[in-house]
Each structure stands twice: as structure tokens, then as C-alpha cells.
């Protein structure tokens, strides 16, 4: 035996269990049992409310009572329970008051401490709920003076009590109580008198406040908002098992806290984000910026509206957040004491400003805050703000990567110069080439000694002078292939002949000289070749390998100008000026380095040294030329040097906007629009939620047709990728270019009407397989149809019912024709076919068919029934009416059936879509959420055999095929 605390005894029993006893009432409260182990030791934690019990196989740790205090926040006030007292705390003054006693001394507190607390500020009333007697509540009315006496001992009053799973205020002087047994909510006044009752549409085990007159009800796997006045469900959301509900200050958002997850939703329970935690979530509160601050067992964390989260502070012991004001977090500890924790909110305010695009606040925080760390840098890079992360980074390698990602070529050049590694120069060259900055590309190729790329760069930029120097470089390096390639690039025929002659290819040299009209060289080579002169075709050669003359030489290409970001130029000018000077210095280095080093540096592959040698040789060969003297011009006549800002002001490419497909997704909840945008995943989730569709294999081809049909494809150049252009629905020449319309869809309701007529025609002709394929195709197309008006929505729903009946009937008829050895089953299927809702001409054919089958099988009474029904349709074909009268006359002489059928036409029934058996009125059945076909209960959870798409009995919200249903 072990005394855990006052009035509580924990004892070790001989039946391999630990029992907790109430010493005052002498009753057992809790039992921990191990079937194959013996408990042999008990110990209590010296500071915390924890006990440990050791047994043969290990140990269990448990608590005697609930540690989380029940509390409620209203404006600047906090009401909470502590040590059998209701206490009041004011956040602004941090003043604490003992209001009243909530339990008589001497009663046990184990499992009887209040679980939840609800407060009505206008009436100053308190509702306390606990698990006593399976769930009960106590109603206290507090006097106005009770919260003012900071040294009061608390009043004693007898509360108004009642039984209920949970209770919560829903209006100024009304509160709701949940009765789990009857699944009803009772609304009572402050006198604890019943005002009205409302039955909940779904079984619930707890209720929470959701605004005046509304309740947020919790079931096992979902929550829903119930309007007590209109008695309708305003919204529902599938969630894990929810323990706590925290509303934002403006009641626009709600946080649903489960054991290991947080679900953020709007006031109508529209899902926004879900956050998963590996350890238990303890509490949470919203701050004034719309950020949810929550605690786990050992951390204070934050959650942004988009689902991003992070750690604010580490905790030694768990706390329960009550309110967040600025940088201060008010909370209750396990001992029931109020605490105020000051935290650094810079990180999550910075991220929120980025999320809401408040860039002025972002720049101000960058200037004044000490934001740093790899986590912030990685976050900025992940969210598409590398130019912001660039201002936090000092490491040159990381700066280089961020500069390339943000397109800041100046900083990338400076970082590559500091790193000076071949891989970084190569990546810089690729990015500079993408931007069309040929000067930096040239510099990068020079630093990596990439002669082949450098020659090709001079070719495509039309720089013939430097291309000739590259030819001399290859000659100095004795690079024969480099010489030949540069000669090809320049179109220098004599140089090509010379190279071929030097390497011993006299025949190729002769052919080249002959074809290109170098007759003197050709004659000389012919003499050297003698009898081995190759034959050259006579006549004019149609195409020669001579490149065209360049239109322009040098300079950057206006292909892609990277616009300065919103943060460029917004910081201190010193940093920007340093970047500009660094860029200009690099510019100057490239021009100077070509004329610095001698040819001896060739052994190290120095390109600039070789080019310098080439220039010196060319100057020696030149004649004197015009003898012009330099003019001494005044300083104001100097041409100003173009700065970086002036270069960037020539052309600034507009910022890429949001893709049209992304706009379609954000603006629409229609599955067809998401398919057209190419977002098949969300489309499938929508169809699953709306229609319970699980089998998407039949829809694959339609998804592809819908996506490609909503776009037009334009080929610009043979080397460029195809450009996909979104086609919008309802576009006209007068439409605004800034307003994006919904996608143009290839599937129309009028097309389905044509297919329906084709299906009718095939059915009339007896081509049941063709008709079945047509009707199934209609069923598979309807989920991807979009119509405009409510009337068309009704037409679509009516079309589903019509097609469903034909699919069911045709499947039964095809099944009947496959059966050969069961006459009774053949007659049953023929009879069931007549109870499908068919067009009158098809119903007559089905009745005639069933009458014929039953008459041949000697089931005259059943055949007579079909004959009467056929005559009631007033058949226009004389043979049908004549045959029906003859069968009826023959049957009236002997109204008997040779075989007993599972068919009673007197008792109304529907047909199971899978087993093809009747489900008579009064019998249980389930339906397909899409096509509404009926099934026997054993088919629940199976794929619908009629539409082949949805799960039988699945919970679905219904068909959504028009924007008018969303407005």
C-alpha cells in the first residue's frame, strides 16, 4: 500500500494489478492490470504528478489526475481553475483574484477536476464540465465585485448542475448541453431550464463554441459546424480526433488540435493547412497577426497560414498558452500559476511579411534585425527569395549559388573571382550566356581556358577579329584541329588549304582549293600529287562551307535582362555601390588582361597572353597609315562611362506572372477545371470527395483529352520547345487582357445529348453491347462536364438517372443471354429488366421479351402480368398488341407457374446493381454516391458495378459541375 496524496491510496493487489482507491469514499477509481506480470515496486516523482510501477517485464508511468487547468479567455480576462477555486487573471495588469470555491473541501479531486470551462462575459457566468457521473456540468453566476477583490478568499455558492457530455455557451444567456445517448443538443437558460432541443445530423461526442448560435461538433473522424437556429450543417471537415479548439480573435480562422496534429481551417471549415508533430501538442493561441502559436511537451512553436512552422523556444516543463500579445506569451504552468514569457518574434513576423508580400516591412527588418542562420537562408531560397537571402550570407560559395539563382550576375562574378575554381567559372558562364551577357561569358571561358567554347562564342557574336586571334593561338599551341575549326568559323579557305597541306592531306587540300576557285594553289598541289590527283566534279558547286558575314559585332544580346528585384536598391547604398564598383572593375580587367602577359605564359594556357602576342605581331605588320594626332578636348566633351544602372535601364523584362493554369486551380473547385490545368492529383481528390470516385482508370483518356483540348500549341522555332497557350472559355475580342476566364472544355452537355440519342437507337436495334458502351461513356464523361446555369445542373443530374437505368437494364439483359442452364434465372433477369425506368418504346420491347421468355417456360401467370402491362402502354405496333392478347387469353385458362421465381410484381422493389436481385420496400440498402444505383448492404465498400467509378456507400458531398453551385 502506498499513500500517493491526501485521500488517495495506490495499492498492489495479488491479482497482478495496481489499484487506485479513494480513501474517503472507499471506492476504486482506476486499475492497471498485467495478465502475466506481477507488480513489485511503486515510486512517486518528487516534483511532478507522476507515479511509476515496476513489474516483471518492465515499468508503467501514470498520473493520478489531470494537470491541464480548465480555462477560458475573454478579452483582457482569464478565468481558470486551481485547487478547488475559480480564479481570475487580468493580462494588462497581471493582477490575480480568487473568485469563488467550486468544490466543497473533503471531496476527492481525482478524475473530478473540471475538464473544460466556458464563460459568458455579458452575464459573468461560468460553465464547468467534468467527467463525473459519465459527464456533468456546473453553472456559476459570478458577482461583479468578485473579480475586483484581489485578496478575496472566494465566495461559496451552490451551482446549478446537470448531466451532459459537454456544455458550452452559445449566446449571451443560453448554453448548449450535449446528450450523447440521444445525440441531441439541449439549449438552456441561466436558470438551467430547457429552452429547446435539436437533434444532430451526425453522431457527436463533444461540442465546442463556434460563434453565436453555432456549435462545432466532434465525431470520431470529422468535425462539423451546426446552426442551432436553422438546424443545418454549415460546414464539415475530415480531421483526426480533435481534443481542443482555438478560435482566432476575429473568429475568421480556427485551429483544431489533436494529439499529434494541428488542422487550420476557416470559419466555414474550409481546410487551409495541416501540421503534424511527432510529440504531443499541448495548447495554442492566435496572435494579432494571424499566426498560431502552440506548445508541445518541450517546445513553443509557430504555424503560418500556409503551413510553415518553426521553433520559437525550448521548454523545460510543459505549459498551456492562454494568450499571445506582441512578443509576450501568457501561459499557465502545471502548478496552475500564471507566467509571462517574452520571446523573439522576429523570425515568424519576417516570414509572415514575406508571405503577405509586405516587402517594406521585410526591408526594414533586414536593416534593423539580426536575422541569420542556415534555416532562414534555406527558407528564403525555398520560397523563391534568393535575392533576400543574399544579404545574410558571407560565405562566398553560398553567395555564388544564391547570386546565380537570383540572376545577380555582378555578385556571382565577385564570388567566382574569390573562389577561383573551374566548376564555378563554368556555371557562371552558363548563367551569363542565358542572360546574353557575352562579356562575362568570354571572361569565364578565358578563366577556364576553354578554347573551343571561346571560339564558338566569337563566331556567334560575330567577333571576327578575336576569332582570327584564336586561330593564331591554336597555331602557337600546335592544335591542328583547333586551327582547322577556327579557319572554318572564319571562312578562311587559304588557311584551311594550308593546314591540310601541312598535315599531309594533299588530296583534301587540292579538292578544297579547286572547289573554292584557288587555281594557283590547286595547280601547285596537282604537280606535287602527280598521277594521284583526285577528280573534281565539273560545274558550279551549289553550296560552300563559308559562313556569312556578321551583321553586328560584339556587345550583349538583348535576349534576357534580369530585372532588379524588389529588394535591390532598397538597402544601404554603400553595399550597392560596392557591387557596382566590383562589376565595373571586373569589366575593366577583361579588357586589360588581353594585353598584359607575354607568350611564355602559353605553357600555363593563358589566353590573354597569347592574344597579346598576336596583337603585337599584327601591329608590326601594319603600315604607317594615316598620321592622326590626338586632340586635347575639354573634360566636358568626354563621353560618360555607362554605368550598371544605365545599362539596366535600356530594357527591363517584365516580372513573370502567375501561370493561367495556376489561376484556374485557385479560382475553381470544379474537377474539370483542375484537369484542364494539368493538376490531375487535386482533380482526383475533388472527385473522390464529391462523388466517392476511387477507380480513375476509365477516366485516364478523358483526363488527357481534357487537358490537351484546353490548350493550343504553337511551335516558334525548330530548336525551341512547343509553347502551350491556355484557351479560355467565353473569350471575346472585348475581353480584358488582365482578367482570366475559366478553361475552354471540349466536353459539352449537347454532345452527351447526341450520345444519348445514339444509345437509344442502338437499344432499339437490339445492339445491346454498343448501347451499353455508349451509356457507360456518358456516365464517365459527366464528372468532367461544366455547365453554366442551375437548370443545366438539373439536366445533368437527370441525365445520370436516365443513363444509370439503361446501364443496369442492359447489363442484366446481356447477363441473361449468357445463362444457358438456368431457366428460372433467365426469367428473373428478363422480369427485372422491365422494372428499369426506360423510354416507352424500349419498355414495350422489354415487356414483350419477358412475356415471351416466361410463356415458353410455362410460367403463364407471370407472362400474363407482362402482357397486361404491355397492353397498358398502348403499343403502336399491331403485332405486339396482338401477341399480348393471345398470351393473356391462353394464360387465363391456366393461371399457373411451372417455376418459382424470386419476383413479386405486387411488392415495389429496386434492383441491386451487383447481384441483380430485388430489394423490396422496407429492406435495407445502400447506394452509389455518384449514379445513385441501389445495392444490398453486403456490397458496401465495393466498386459500383454500374458506373465502375465510385465506392458503394462512400460519404460524398455530391456532384459539382457548375460555378452557379458555388456562388
Amino acid at each position: 500500500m502506498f499513500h500517493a496524496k491526501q485521500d488517495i491510496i495506490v495499492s498492489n493487489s495479488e491479482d497482478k494489478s495496481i489499484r487506485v482507491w479513494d480513501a474517503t469514499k472507499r471506492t476504486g477509481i482506476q486499475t492497471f492490470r498485467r495478465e502475466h506480470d506481477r507488480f513489485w515496486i511503486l515510486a512517486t516523482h518528487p516534483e511532478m504528478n507522476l507515479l511509476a510501477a515496476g513489474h516483471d517485464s518492465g515499468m508503467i508511468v501514470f498520473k493520478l489526475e489531470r494537470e491541464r487547468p480548465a480555462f477560458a479567455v475573454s478579452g483582457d480576462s482569464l478565468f481558470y481553475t486551481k485547487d478547488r477555486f475559480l480564479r481570475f487573471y487580468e493580462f494588462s495588469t497581471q493582477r490575480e483574484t480568487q473568485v469563488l470555491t467550486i468544490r466543497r473541501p473533503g471531496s476527492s479531486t481525482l478524475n473530478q477536476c473540471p475538464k473544460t470551462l466556458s464563460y459568458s462575459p455579458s452575464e459573468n457566468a461560468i460553465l464547468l464540465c467534468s467527467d463525473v457521473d459519465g459527464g456533468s456540468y456546473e453553472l456559476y453566476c459570478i458577482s461583479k465585485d468578485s473579480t475586483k477583490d484581489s485578496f478575496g478568499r472566494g465566495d461559496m455558492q451552490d451551482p446549478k448542475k446537470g448531466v451532459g457530455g459537454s456544455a458550452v455557451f452559445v449566446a449571451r444567456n443560453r448554453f448548449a448541453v450535449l446528450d450523447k445517448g440521444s445525440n441531441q443538443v439541449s439549449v438552456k437558460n441561466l436558470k438551467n431550464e430547457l429552452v429547446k432541443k435539436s437533434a444532430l445530423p451526425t453522431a457527436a461526442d463533444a461540442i465546442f463554441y463556434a460563434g453565436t448560435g453555432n456549435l462545432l461538433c466532434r465525431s470520431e473522424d470529422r468535425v462539423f459546424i451546426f446552426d442551432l437556429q436553422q438546424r443545418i450543417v454549415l460546414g464539415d471537415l475530415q480531421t483526426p480526433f480533435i481534443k481542443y479548439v482555438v478560435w482566432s480573435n476575429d473568429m475568421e480562422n480556427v485551429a483544431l488540435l489533436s494529439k499529434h496534429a494541428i488542422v487550420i481551417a476557416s470559419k466555414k471549415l474550409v481546410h487551409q493547412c495541416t501540421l503534424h508533430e511527432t510529440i504531443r501538442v499541448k495548447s495554442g493561441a492566435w496572435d494579432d497577426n494571424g499566426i498560431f502559436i502552440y506548445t508541445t511537451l518541450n517546445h513553443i512553436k509557430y504555424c503560418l497560414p500556409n503551413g510553415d512552422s518553426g521553433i520559437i523556444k525550448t521548454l523545460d516543463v510543459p505549459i498551456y498558452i492562454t494568450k499571445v500579445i506582441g512578443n509576450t506569451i501568457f501561459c499557465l504552468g502545471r502548478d496552475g500559476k500564471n507566467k509571462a514569457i517574452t520571446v523573439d518574434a522576429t523570425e515568424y513576423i519576417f516570414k509572415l511579411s514575406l508571405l503577405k508580400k509586405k516587402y517594406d516591412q521585410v526591408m526594414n527588418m533586414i536593416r534593423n534585425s539580426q536575422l541569420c542562420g542556415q534555416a532562414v537562408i534555406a527558407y528564403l531560397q525555398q520560397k523563391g527569395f534568393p535575392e533576400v537571402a543574399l544579404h545574410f550570407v558571407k560565405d562566398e560559395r553560398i553567395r555564388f549559388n544564391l547570386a546565380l539563382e537570383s540572376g545577380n550576375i555582378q555578385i556571382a562574378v565577385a564570388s567566382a573571382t574569390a573562389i577561383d575554381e573551374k566548376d564555378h567559372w563554368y556555371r557562371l558562364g552558363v548563367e551569363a550566356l542565358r542572360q546574353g551577357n557575352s562579356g562575362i561569358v568570354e571572361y569565364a571561358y578565358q578563366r577556364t581556358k576553354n578554347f573551343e567554347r571561346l571560339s564558338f562564342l566569337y563566331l556567334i557574336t560575330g567577333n571576327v577579329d578575336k576569332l582570327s586571334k584564336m586561330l593564331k593561338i591554336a597555331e602557337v599551341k600546335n592544335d591542328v584541329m583547333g586551327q582547322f575549326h577556327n579557319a572554318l568559323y572564319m571562312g578562311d579557305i587559304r588557311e584551311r588549304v594550308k593546314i591540310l597541306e601541312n598535315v599531309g592531306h594533299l588530296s583534301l587540300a587540292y579538292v578544297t582549293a579547286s572547289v573554292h576557285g584557288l587555281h594557283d594553289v590547286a595547280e601547285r598541289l596537282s604537280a606535287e600529287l602527280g598521277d594521284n590527283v583526285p577528280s573534281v566534279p565539273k560545274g558550279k558547286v551549289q553550296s560552300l562551307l563559308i559562313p556569312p558575314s556578321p551583321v553586328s559585332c560584339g556587345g550583349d544580346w538583348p535576349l534576357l535582362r534580369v530585372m532588379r528585384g524588389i529588394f535591390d536598391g532598397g538597402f544601404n547604398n554603400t553595399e550597392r555601390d560596392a557591387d557596382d564598383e566590383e562589376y565595373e572593375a571586373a569589366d575593366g580587367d577583361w579588357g586589360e588582361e588581353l594585353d598584359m602577359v607575354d607568350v611564355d605564359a602559353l605553357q600555363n594556357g593563358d589566353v590573354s597572353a597569347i592574344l597579346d602576342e598576336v596583337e603585337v605581331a599584327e601591329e608590326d605588320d601594319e603600315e604607317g597609315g594615316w598620321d592622326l594626332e590626338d586632340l586635347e578636348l575639354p573634360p566636358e566633351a568626354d563621353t560618360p562611362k555607362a554605368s550598371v544602372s544605365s545599362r539596366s535601364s535600356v530594357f527591363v523584362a517584365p516580372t513573370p506572372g502567375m501561370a493561367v493554369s495556376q489561376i484556374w486551380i485557385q479560382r475553381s473547385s470544379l474537377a474539370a477545371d483542375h484537369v484542364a490545368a494539368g493538376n490531375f492529383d487535386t482533380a482526383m481528390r475533388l472527385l473522390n470527395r464529391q462523388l466517392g470516385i476511387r477507380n480513375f482508370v476509365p477516366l485516364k483518356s478523358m483526363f488527357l483529352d481534357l487537358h490537351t483540348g484546353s490548350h493550343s500549341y504553337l511551335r516558334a522555332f525548330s530548336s525551341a520547345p512547343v509553347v502551350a497557350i491556355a484557351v479560355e472559355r467565353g473569350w471575346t475580342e472585348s475581353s480584358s487582357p488582365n482578367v482570366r476566364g475559366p478553361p475552354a472544355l471540349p466536353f459539352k452537355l449537347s454532345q452527351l445529348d447526341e450520345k444519348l440519342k445514339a444509345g437509344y437507337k442502338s437499344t432499339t436495334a437490339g445492339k445491346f453491347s454498343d448501347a451499353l458502351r455508349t451509356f457507360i461513356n456518358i456516365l464517365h464523361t459527366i464528372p468532367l462536364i461544366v455547365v453554366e446555369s442551375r437548370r443545366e445542373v438539373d439536366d445533368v443530374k437527370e441525365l445520370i438517372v436516365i443513363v444509370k437505368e439503361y446501364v443496369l437494364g442492359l447489363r442484366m439483359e446481356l447477363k441473361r443471354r449468357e445463362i444457358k442452364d438456368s431457366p428460372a434465372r433467365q426469367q428473373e433477369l428478363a422480369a427485372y429488366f422491365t422494372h428499369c425506368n426506360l423510354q416507352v418504346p424500349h419498355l414495350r420491347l422489354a415487356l414483350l421479351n419477358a412475356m415471351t421468355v416466361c410463356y415458353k417456360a410455362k410460367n403463364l401467370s407471370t407472362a400474363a402480368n407482362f402482357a397486361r402491362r404491355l397492353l397498358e402502354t398502348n403499343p403502336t405496333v399491331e403485332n405486339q398488341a396482338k401477341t399480348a392478347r393471345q398470351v393473356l387469353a391462353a394464360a387465363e385458362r391456366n393461371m399457373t407457374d411451372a417455376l418459382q421465381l424470386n419476383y413479386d410484381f405486387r411488392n415495389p422493389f429496386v434492383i441491386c446493381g451487383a447481384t441483380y436481385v430485388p430489394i423490396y420496400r422496407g429492406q435495407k440498402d445502400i447506394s452509389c454516391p455518384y449514379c445513385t444505383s441501389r445495392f444490398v448492404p453486403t456490397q458496401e465498400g465495393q466498386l459500383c458495378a454500374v458506373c465502375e467509378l465510385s465506392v458503394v456507400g462512400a460519404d460524398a458531398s455530391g456532384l459539382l459541375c457548375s460555378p452557379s453551385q458555388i456562388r
Side-chain angles (χ1 to χ4, degrees), residues 868-929:
R868 294 190 195 97
R869 290 179 57 192
L870 179 58
L871 293 173
E872 289 173 359
T873 63
N874 296 321
T876 56
V877 181
E878 183 61 29
N879 291 338
Q880 294 180 356
K882 181 179 179 181
T883 305
R885 293 189 189 96
Q886 292 174 350
V887 169
L888 186 60
E892 287 176 351
R893 293 192 292 268
N894 185 16
M895 295 291 286
T896 59
D897 286 337
L899 296 174
Q900 184 68 30
L901 304 180
N902 183 17
Y903 172 64
D904 184 4
F905 60 87
R906 300 177 184 84
N907 191 359
F909 66 86
V910 293
I911 306 157
C912 174
T915 59
Y916 307 136
V917 297
I919 305 174
Y920 292 102
R921 182 179 296 174
Q923 294 180 345
K924 291 184 178 180
D925 65 349
I926 54 177
S927 62
C928 170

Side-chain angles (χ1 to χ4, degrees), residues 558-795:
L559 299 181
L560 176 62
R561 290 286 183 177
V562 178
M563 186 178 64
R564 283 184 177 271
I566 53 175
F567 302 100
D568 292 340
F571 306 102
N572 53 47
N573 294 328
T574 306
E575 182 179 353
R576 186 181 71 244
D577 294 341
D579 291 342
D580 292 346
E581 291 174 5
E582 194 171 33
Y583 175 70
E584 292 173 3
D587 253 338
D589 289 343
W590 303 333
E592 293 170 4
E593 195 167 343
L594 296 179
D595 304 317
M596 286 176 58
V597 190
D598 57 16
V599 184
D600 293 336
L602 176 62
Q603 304 300 327
N604 298 324
D606 197 320
V607 182
S608 56
I610 302 171
L611 292 178
D612 176 57
E613 180 69 18
V614 171
E615 288 181 355
V616 173
E618 289 179 351
E619 289 176 2
D620 293 341
D621 294 339
E622 290 178 354
E623 297 180 1
W626 296 96
D627 188 10
L628 297 177
E629 298 180 359
D630 294 335
L631 299 177
E632 296 181 2
L633 297 175
E636 58 269 14
D638 293 343
T639 303
K641 184 176 180 180
S643 64
V644 176
S645 60
S646 65
R647 283 194 301 271
S648 62
S649 63
V650 175
F651 171 73
V652 176
T655 304
M658 185 182 296
V660 178
S661 58
Q662 187 67 25
I663 298 176
W664 289 347
I665 295 172
Q666 292 184 354
R667 292 183 178 178
S668 176
S669 299
L670 302 177
D673 290 347
H674 285 247
V675 174
N679 202 337
F680 292 176
D681 290 339
T682 58
M684 289 190 288
R685 284 196 292 270
L686 286 172
L687 290 175
N688 179 264
R689 186 166 66 243
Q690 295 168 5
L691 300 176
I693 295 179
R694 184 176 65 185
N695 180 27
F696 291 94
V697 176
L699 302 182
K700 179 180 178 180
S701 61
M702 296 184 182
F703 272 38
L704 296 174
D705 292 343
L706 189 56
H707 175 55
T708 55
S710 300
H711 293 76
S712 179
Y713 299 91
L714 175 65
R715 180 177 292 279
F717 303 101
S718 58
S719 59
V722 175
V723 180
I725 302 174
V727 182
E728 299 173 4
R729 188 164 67 245
W731 184 89
T732 61
E733 292 183 358
S734 60
S735 300
S736 172
N738 298 323
V739 178
R740 294 296 182 183
L745 305 177
F747 300 143
K748 308 291 183 182
L749 182 59
S750 57
Q751 297 174 348
L752 299 188
D753 291 338
E754 295 298 325
K755 288 185 179 180
L756 182 64
K757 294 177 182 178
Y760 284 161
K761 186 175 181 181
S762 299
T763 305
T764 305
K767 300 177 181 179
F768 296 144
S769 298
D770 295 343
L772 181 60
R773 280 193 296 269
T774 302
F775 289 127
I776 290 178
N777 180 264
I778 295 175
L779 276 182
H780 291 174
T781 308
I782 287 177
L784 302 178
I785 282 290
V786 173
V787 295
E788 296 300 328
S789 64
R790 286 277 187 175
R791 182 174 182 180
E792 289 179 315
V793 173
D794 296 337
D795 292 342

Side-chain angles (χ1 to χ4, degrees), residues 760-873:
Y760 284 161
K761 186 175 181 181
S762 299
T763 305
T764 305
K767 300 177 181 179
F768 296 144
S769 298
D770 295 343
L772 181 60
R773 280 193 296 269
T774 302
F775 289 127
I776 290 178
N777 180 264
I778 295 175
L779 276 182
H780 291 174
T781 308
I782 287 177
L784 302 178
I785 282 290
V786 173
V787 295
E788 296 300 328
S789 64
R790 286 277 187 175
R791 182 174 182 180
E792 289 179 315
V793 173
D794 296 337
D795 292 342
V796 171
K797 293 181 179 180
E798 182 182 0
L799 181 61
I800 294 175
V801 176
I802 293 173
V803 175
K804 175 258 297 185
E805 294 290 333
Y806 272 86
V807 171
L808 176 60
L810 292 173
R811 287 190 187 278
M812 288 191 296
E813 180 60 20
L814 292 174
K815 180 73 174 177
R816 182 188 70 82
R817 298 190 177 195
E818 294 176 0
I819 298 175
K820 302 298 182 182
D821 54 352
S822 179
R825 185 58 176 163
Q826 284 184 333
Q827 296 177 68
E828 290 172 356
L829 293 176
Y832 302 154
F833 191 11
T834 65
H835 288 268
C836 294
N837 190 8
L838 308 176
Q839 297 292 315
V840 174
H842 302 145
L843 178 60
R844 290 170 183 159
L845 294 172
L847 289 170
L848 182 63
N849 178 59
M851 179 186 69
T852 304
V853 171
C854 292
Y855 184 81
K856 290 181 177 179
K858 306 302 183 183
N859 276 23
L860 301 181
S861 178
T862 306
N865 171 61
F866 294 133
R868 294 190 195 97
R869 290 179 57 192
L870 179 58
L871 293 173
E872 289 173 359
T873 63

Side-chain angles (χ1 to χ4, degrees), residues 322-353:
T322 55
K323 192 176 183 64
V324 180
I325 303 177
N327 292 353
T328 305
I329 296 177
F330 293 93
C331 59
L332 288 168
R334 281 182 162 177
D335 53 0
K337 294 181 180 179
N338 279 284
K339 299 179 182 179
I341 302 175
T342 302
V343 297
D344 184 5
T346 307
E347 180 182 335
Y348 62 80
I349 295 298
F350 176 77
K351 293 181 178 180
L352 181 66
S353 300

Side-chain angles (χ1 to χ4, degrees), residues 216 223-225 234-239 247 252-256 263-274 305 666 669 689 966:
L216 192 147
V223 294
F224 59 92
I225 293 181
L234 301 180
D236 69 328
L237 181 64
Q238 189 169 0
T239 62
W247 287 92
E252 291 295 324
N253 296 294
V254 62
L256 309 172
V263 180
I264 306 294
S266 68
K267 62 180 180 181
K268 297 297 184 182
L269 292 186
V270 177
H271 180 266
Q272 294 179 357
C273 65
T274 300
Q666 292 184 354
S669 299
R689 186 166 66 243
I966 307 173

